[in-house]
Amino acid sequence: MNALDRLVALLSKLPGVGKKSAGRMAYHILDTSPGYAKDLAEELAGLHQAIRHCSVCGGFTESDPCPICSDTGRDGSIICVVERAQDVRVIEESREFHGRFHVLGGLIAPLEGVGPEDLSIGKLLSRVRAEGTRELILAMNPTLEGDTTALYLQKLLKDSGADVTRLASGLPVGGDLEYADRLTLSRSFRGRVKL
């Protein structure tokens, strides 16, 4: 393997990047100035030193606690529970949520050997008790693992005094019924709202 092949192999290990896309990226890096490649390499090399998990919510941050947990203008009585740290960014970009976050670090998946003890559920329970949480929004993906985790948390938190809610799921805006799968249609009917 030459240097180009090794780079393509490494890039193709990134999620959602196949061998062809990795090849395009590698050739793009070769076509740009050597300074770009050097800057990219330095950023990648320093990533784990610069970014860590927030000690409060578990999201990625350069400062601890993170800017979201430190923001006194946010509603600390509402916690949005997400699977992964990158989910925080997606929700933040919507500009619809003004509370705090809690990152579980995964979902309950018994077939993959992931149980509740492998997630930051204990830390979530401590936060709910200590912070006087009024509402917990469960923002997991509508998958078997997401549903299992949400159900587990709902049962665990039923006596916490906080309302436990789940993000709505169903047909996307601009979606076409012809292309919707059975599960999405089922969730859409169950989650319908009065006009």
Side-chain angles (χ1 to χ4, degrees):
M1 271 183 125
N2 61 31
L4 183 58
D5 292 335
R6 289 191 302 271
L7 178 59
V8 169
L10 284 171
L11 290 172
S12 67
K13 291 181 179 181
L14 293 170
V17 178
K19 201 164 181 132
K20 283 187 178 184
S21 294
R24 283 193 292 273
M25 288 181 206
Y27 281 109
H28 173 76
I29 292 168
L30 282 172
D31 287 338
T32 60
S33 71
Y36 173 77
K38 184 177 183 245
D39 291 344
L40 180 63
E42 287 174 4
E43 286 298 321
L44 287 172
L47 196 60
H48 286 285
Q49 287 83 25
I51 298 176
R52 58 191 164 279
H53 288 282
C54 173
S55 61
V56 178
C57 71
F60 288 128
T61 184
E62 289 187 44
S63 59
D64 193 22
C66 70
I68 294 172
C69 291
S70 302
D71 186 350
T72 56
R74 296 185 81 100
D75 187 347
S77 69
I78 302 173
I79 297 176
C80 181
V81 181
V82 295
E83 173 188 351
R84 303 165 307 194
Q86 55 263 44
D87 297 334
V88 172
R89 185 177 192 157
V90 171
I91 293 172
E92 279 295 285
E93 287 174 355
S94 77
R95 301 184 190 275
E96 289 295 320
F97 179 68
H98 306 288
R100 304 266 164 92
F101 290 93
H102 185 83
V103 178
L104 290 175
L107 296 173
I108 297 170
L111 294 177
E112 296 172 24
V114 180
E117 65 282 353
D118 299 312
L119 308 176
S120 66
I121 293 174
K123 191 172 184 179
L124 174 63
L125 295 175
S126 298
R127 284 185 70 190
V128 169
R129 285 191 291 268
E131 297 174 16
T133 304
R134 181 174 45 90
E135 181 183 6
L136 279 159
I137 302 169
L138 305 181
M140 289 86 174
N141 289 320
T143 61
L144 180 61
E145 293 83 4
D147 291 346
T148 301
T149 305
L151 184 61
Y152 180 83
L153 290 173
Q154 179 186 9
K155 288 180 179 179
L156 199 62
L157 295 160
K158 71 177 179 183
D159 297 326
S160 68
D163 291 330
V164 180
T165 61
R166 181 111 191 248
L167 288 183
S169 61
L171 294 172
V173 173
D176 193 327
L177 283 175
E178 180 181 355
Y179 302 110
D181 60 276
R182 251 181 49 209
L183 183 59
T184 300
L185 278 174
S186 172
R187 287 176 187 267
S188 298
F189 274 103
R190 280 188 272 133
R192 64 188 184 275
V193 293
K194 188 173 183 175
L195 301 177

